[in-house]
Amino acid sequence: MKPIKIATAQFENKSGDKTYNLNVIRQLAGDASKAGAQVIAFHECSITGYTFARHLSREQLLEVAEPIPDGPSIHALQDIAAEHDIVVLAGLFEKDADDKMYKAYVCVDKNGLVAKYRKLHPFINPNLTPGDQYVIFDLLGWKCGILICYDNNIIENVRATKLLGADIIFMPHVTMCTPSTRPGAGFVDPQLWHNRQADPTTLRQEFDGLKGRAWLMKWLPARAYDNAVYAVFSNPIGMDDDQLKNGCSMLLDPFGDIIAECRKLDNDFVIATFTPEKLQQAGGHRYIQARRPELYGDIIGHDHVSEQRVVWL
């Protein structure tokens, strides 16, 4: 494997406005390519918008969803990839031939669809069907996986993706700044976003505190460290429907260190170089080699009925 330059982005999407969102994706992809990135990753449902979907009926969501790979958004991503010579990862709602709907995330290059993943634990709309498989794909000589938002909260998903061969895990999110049972959680006042030019300090305190980044730091570096993977975290900034999101899209190496992070209170991207040497230098690689699955294989694989509760809903 050769070193690879990957960008992660953040931007304020518009609910249901694919044309606008794809134009922003096009602009950021072009800028990242000029800055040397070979790949750029965007957040969960970056093409369609996300939180507004909790209000949609089945018929309305079907209007928003698209077939993959034959829908217009995939063709648009292919055009963007070809125009700027960059691989693009982005999210949208998918519908299949039977009108089943999924939360999808795709990887697209100038030749078309490289990979598609369906969220295993969707919750934003009851008409969504959970995905039922992990996805591993080749990207410029690297093995990659995808886990969308809540999927990363179940640590078994991250370990399984690693054991299937992933060196890089793309982790698109729409997260943080929502109420929870944990101390310090809650919404952030949208007025702070609208007033960010005059008072960036108060907004940054909210974004970086326990409502936002401080919570992320409780677990995201550990996912990279424990599994000796590069983690590509992408999250929107600004208003997503009626909720304010804090961005802080970042790239983490297999040591669990943040090697690049978006810090603008605006649309932004950052780039980092991933080198293959770290994959085996990291402690997580040695710990994976030391595993004894005969002790816990039956425990982890024991029958269990999944129960998913999202407090803010």
Side-chain angles (χ1 to χ4, degrees), residues 3-151:
I4 184 173
K5 290 189 174 183
I6 293 186
T8 184
Q10 64 184 33
F11 73 91
E12 185 176 28
N13 57 241
K14 291 187 177 181
S15 298
D17 193 338
K18 298 179 192 178
T19 300
Y20 173 84
N21 296 331
L22 284 165
N23 282 337
V24 177
I25 288 171
R26 184 182 299 274
Q27 180 65 51
L28 290 170
D31 292 344
S33 179
K34 290 175 185 175
Q38 298 164 275
V39 180
I40 186 167
F42 295 92
H43 60 268
E44 176 182 18
C45 278
S46 44
I47 294 171
T48 53
Y50 177 66
T51 306
F52 83 109
R54 74 191 193 277
H55 304 301
L56 301 184
S57 66
R58 173 176 170 78
E59 291 70 25
Q60 290 171 324
L61 191 57
L62 279 168
E63 288 296 313
V64 174
E66 297 182 19
I68 297 174
D70 297 324
S73 292
I74 305 304
H75 294 306
L77 292 179
Q78 184 177 353
D79 289 343
I80 292 168
E83 177 184 355
H84 297 297
D85 191 25
I86 192 169
V87 180
V88 182
L89 293 98
L92 69 163
F93 293 102
E94 176 195 6
K95 61 183 174 184
D96 67 12
D98 298 319
D99 280 348
K100 286 186 177 180
M101 290 180 285
Y102 306 88
K103 282 288 312 304
Y105 195 74
V106 295
C107 176
V108 177
D109 67 10
K110 61 185 178 183
N111 298 311
L113 184 69
V114 175
K116 177 184 74 175
Y117 172 80
R118 291 167 170 171
K119 189 174 184 178
L120 306 177
H121 299 272
F123 60 82
I124 198 66
N125 187 291
N127 295 294
L128 292 170
T129 300
D132 60 4
Q133 61 184 327
Y134 301 110
V135 171
I136 302 294
F137 60 99
D138 292 315
L139 184 59
L140 302 177
W142 291 68
K143 293 287 188 182
C144 299
I146 299 167
L147 292 169
I148 299 175
C149 202
Y150 200 101
D151 297 345

Side-chain angles (χ1 to χ4, degrees), residues 182-223:
R182 60 182 170 82
F187 291 123
V188 175
D189 185 354
Q191 188 56 39
L192 295 177
W193 176 250
H194 301 311
N195 196 41
R196 66 189 181 279
Q197 302 298 331
D199 180 17
T201 302
T202 303
L203 179 60
R204 180 59 69 196
Q205 287 176 333
E206 289 282 86
F207 275 2
D208 286 354
L210 285 171
K211 292 179 180 179
R213 189 179 185 277
W215 168 76
L216 190 69
M217 292 298 97
K218 292 176 182 285
W219 64 268
L220 181 59
R223 299 295 189 272

Side-chain angles (χ1 to χ4, degrees), residues 8 171 173 175-176 216 220 231-235 247-250 252:
T8 184
M171 300 179 175
H173 279 66
T175 192
M176 296 182 278
L216 190 69
L220 181 59
V232 180
F233 173 83
S234 307
N235 192 50
C248 73
S249 294
M250 62 179 68
L252 299 94

Side-chain angles (χ1 to χ4, degrees), residues 149-164:
C149 202
Y150 200 101
D151 297 345
N152 292 280
N153 295 340
I154 291 84
I155 59 175
E156 291 87 348
N157 288 331
V158 186
R159 176 52 57 88
T161 303
K162 168 64 180 183
L163 293 179
L164 287 170

